[in-house]
Amino acid sequence: MQKLIMIKYGELSTKKDNIGFFLSTLKKNVEYALKNIDYEIKYDKNRMFIKSSNLDNVIEKLKKVFGIHEISVCYQLDNRNLDSISKDLIKIIENVEFKTFKVAVKRSDKTYPLDSMELAKKLGGVVLKNKDNISVDVHNPELLINVEIRTDQVYIYIDNIQGIGGYPVGVLGKGLLMLSGGIDSPVAGYLAIKRGIKLECVYFESPPHTSIEAKNKVLELSKKLAVYNNGMKVHIINFTKIQESIYRNIPHDYLITIMRRMMYRISAILSHNNRGHVIVNGESVGQVASQTLTSMEVINEVVKMPVIRPVACFDKLEIIDIARRIGTYETSILPYEDCCTIFVPAHPVINPVLSKCYEYEKLIPYEELIHDAIKNQEVVKVGEDNKEFDELL
Ligand code: ATP
Ligand code: MG
């Protein structure tokens, strides 16, 4: 009998046509997560199995891999006859405390001499005979003993650890996350990765108005997302000239509207240039002046590419809950200002008008400024063992 990890895919198993691609991607992502651990991996349409001398460590890593629905410590039995299964089962539950139980049998090999019901009954009898003061409860058992009969082996598992669900990162293609140092955008990024979108990030900085600490904070956040995303590429755009030019030439109530239109334009180009199909950001309806519906309409107007806003309809407290759970909150609340907060006017327009945006944008050579900003971008690769990133911090 050998101990190993069994992974259940959940929602993935419903993807009939591209299940092969989904599963090979999941395998790659698991391999990335386990890269410093010794292991052996095998999988089919229903399950993935991992052998390792360090199962606890494997479980901790798998808890952060999207596409995994459930993780179980599982026993592989190579002898399928009833006596042998019974003996192994007794060993498995020897030190487990429980009062009620149920045996659930799944038979993927239909030629096995006993059917599921018969086998469940027989194994139930074995358990009852070998433990004192226990009884069967088919509706709400304290211990669920799962037995799977396969062509060559039998698998038994008694515990289930919930995985984080979602789709394997990468299966849906790529996108670009607008990552600021705030609370919302890292959560938005996490939720987009969860749906299988492999992200790169863009961060707009305005030195000397914004500090190196603000930039490092964003890189620290991207490092946290990198764990789920198999590493992360961060495009750092120097936004100073664009921002100063807007500040000098455009009525101040429209500063934020125009600034965000510039950010969207740059994001769409960067996303497209890096084979991305969407922009992702942390906008939340109604949160600030630039997130009223009319603002969103006027800002969104500059791009054709879809913009995904995973936290658009979440309350701030709901966003904070997720931020705490994924460990970005503590970094997000560090005090360093990002570029938006420095150029915030006293009275930003709440219902901007598109024709005014056209009129004001004529006052700045924005196409040239955007072109230069993209040409001079800094790219930082963030990964778990990326020296370049560690040195930067
Ligand atoms: P957050 O908490 O994510 O900073 P916010 O509530 O402060 O969001 P805004 O400042 O209006 O809202 O920004 C809305 C979204 O625009 C952010 O969630 C982020 O996706 C993007 N964004 C804002 N500033 C920057 C920046 N300097 N670099 C990259 N993206 C940014
Ligand atoms: Mg912000």
Side-chain angles (χ1 to χ4, degrees):
M1 169 163 71
Q2 192 175 14
K3 218 168 155 181
L4 37 77
I5 302 279
M6 183 174 87
I7 291 172
K8 287 189 194 169
Y9 313 132
E11 199 178 333
L12 276 197
S13 12
T14 59
K15 299 275 167 286
K16 286 213 174 58
D17 290 340
N18 44 15
I19 182 85
F21 172 60
F22 271 52
L23 294 183
S24 61
T25 306
L26 179 63
K27 175 171 175 268
K28 257 201 299 198
N29 296 349
V30 167
E31 285 168 347
Y32 181 87
L34 301 182
K35 62 181 177 299
N36 297 320
I37 304 175
D38 75 287
Y39 65 90
E40 218 178 283
I41 198 166
K42 114 183 155 181
Y43 71 99
D44 60 27
K45 274 200 321 248
N46 302 306
R47 303 275 189 261
M48 188 172 284
F49 295 98
I50 298 174
K51 290 181 185 165
S52 171
S53 56
N54 194 345
L55 292 183
D56 288 343
N57 211 344
V58 170
I59 291 173
E60 281 318 300
K61 298 283 184 194
L62 293 179
K63 282 184 188 165
K64 293 190 169 174
V65 177
F66 285 124
I68 295 180
H69 183 67
E70 258 174 38
I71 307 162
S72 303
V73 175
C74 165
Y75 298 85
Q76 178 182 307
L77 287 44
D78 291 323
N79 190 333
R80 301 196 314 160
N81 83 45
L82 184 59
D83 273 354
S84 175
I85 299 175
S86 306
K87 278 192 197 123
D88 284 336
L89 177 56
I90 292 164
K91 270 189 234 149
I92 292 168
I93 58 169
E94 204 173 14
N95 296 316
V96 184
E97 297 276 335
F98 60 96
K99 289 258 177 305
T100 60
F101 77 101
K102 171 187 171 179
V103 178
V105 175
K106 207 171 147 199
R107 217 176 41 139
S108 55
D109 176 10
K110 302 289 177 211
T111 64
Y112 191 77
L114 295 170
D115 73 22
S116 304
M117 288 297 279
E118 289 167 332
L119 188 58
K121 248 192 205 158
K122 289 224 185 299
L123 293 176
V126 170
V127 175
L128 283 171
K129 223 190 268 166
N130 278 276
K131 285 255 184 191
D132 297 328
N133 302 322
I134 57 164
S135 60
V136 173
D137 181 346
V138 289
H139 300 297
N140 194 17
E142 225 177 285
L143 182 74
L144 179 62
I145 303 171
N146 296 283
V147 179
E148 288 194 18
I149 304 287
R150 298 189 153 217
T151 324
D152 301 318
Q153 283 114 358
V154 177
Y155 291 105
I156 298 182
Y157 55 98
I158 55 175
D159 59 350
N160 278 325
I161 301 160
Q162 214 185 337
I164 51 171
Y167 293 146
V169 58
V171 290
L172 264 292
K174 281 177 73 178
L176 183 81
L177 170 67
M178 299 168 69
L179 182 63
S180 68
I183 295 169
D184 305 332
S185 49
V187 171
Y190 171 85
L191 294 172
I193 299 169
K194 182 172 185 194
R195 295 314 286 174
I197 303 172
K198 166 99 177 163
L199 290 181
E200 294 190 8
C201 296
V202 59
Y203 168 58
F204 299 93
E205 61 166 357
S206 297
H209 312 295
T210 59
S211 62
I212 184 80
E213 285 85 2
K215 174 180 176 177
N216 284 342
K217 177 177 158 185
V218 170
L219 288 174
E220 186 62 37
L221 289 169
S222 68
K223 193 180 185 186
K224 300 215 160 134
L225 293 177
V227 173
Y228 302 95
N229 192 60
N230 296 357
M232 184 72 83
K233 201 163 145 190
V234 185
H235 304 262
I236 298 167
I237 296 285
N238 188 319
F239 205 54
T240 311
K241 275 196 185 144
I242 297 176
Q243 201 142 28
E244 287 177 351
S245 167
I246 296 171
Y247 197 72
R248 276 198 307 269
N249 296 294
I250 288 176
H252 280 194
D253 55 340
Y254 269 71
L255 285 186
I256 301 231
T257 312
I258 304 293
M259 184 188 78
R260 296 195 62 75
R261 282 167 62 92
M262 298 301 160
M263 284 185 175
Y264 267 55
R265 287 184 171 108
I266 293 174
S267 300
I269 296 170
L270 283 177
S271 185
H272 177 80
N273 287 352
N274 291 283
R275 292 176 291 118
H277 302 287
V278 290
I279 296 170
V280 179
N281 70 32
E283 287 173 349
S284 179
V285 174
Q287 213 185 70
V288 288
S290 62
Q291 292 164 18
T292 60
L293 296 187
T294 42
S295 274
M296 287 168 92
E297 186 181 27
V298 164
I299 292 163
N300 204 141
E301 189 263 349
V302 297
V303 294
K304 282 211 189 87
M305 185 175 271
V307 180
I308 296 181
R309 302 171 177 88
V311 301
C313 298
F314 285 6
D315 290 349
K316 193 74 185 187
L317 286 179
E318 293 171 314
I319 302 173
I320 289 175
D321 259 4
I322 302 176
R324 283 193 203 277
R325 194 153 46 75
I326 64 174
T328 54
Y329 183 73
E330 294 305 322
T331 310
S332 290
I333 58 172
L334 292 172
Y336 317 112
E337 306 278 286
D338 63 39
C339 61
C340 313
T341 33
I342 285 168
F343 288 90
V344 175
H347 300 288
V349 59
I350 287 170
N351 291 306
V353 177
L354 194 53
S355 57
K356 284 198 176 167
C357 294
Y358 292 154
E359 188 190 317
Y360 297 152
E361 284 175 350
K362 281 193 198 126
L363 304 172
I364 52 174
Y366 71 85
E367 278 174 353
E368 194 186 316
L369 292 171
I370 284 178
H371 176 267
D372 288 350
I374 292 175
K375 201 175 80 191
N376 297 324
Q377 67 177 291
E378 179 192 353
V379 177
V380 179
K381 284 193 179 146
V382 178
E384 272 188 310
D385 37 40
N386 188 313
K387 290 208 178 61
E388 188 188 345
F389 173 69
D390 286 337
E391 276 160 18
L392 198 85
L393 282 181

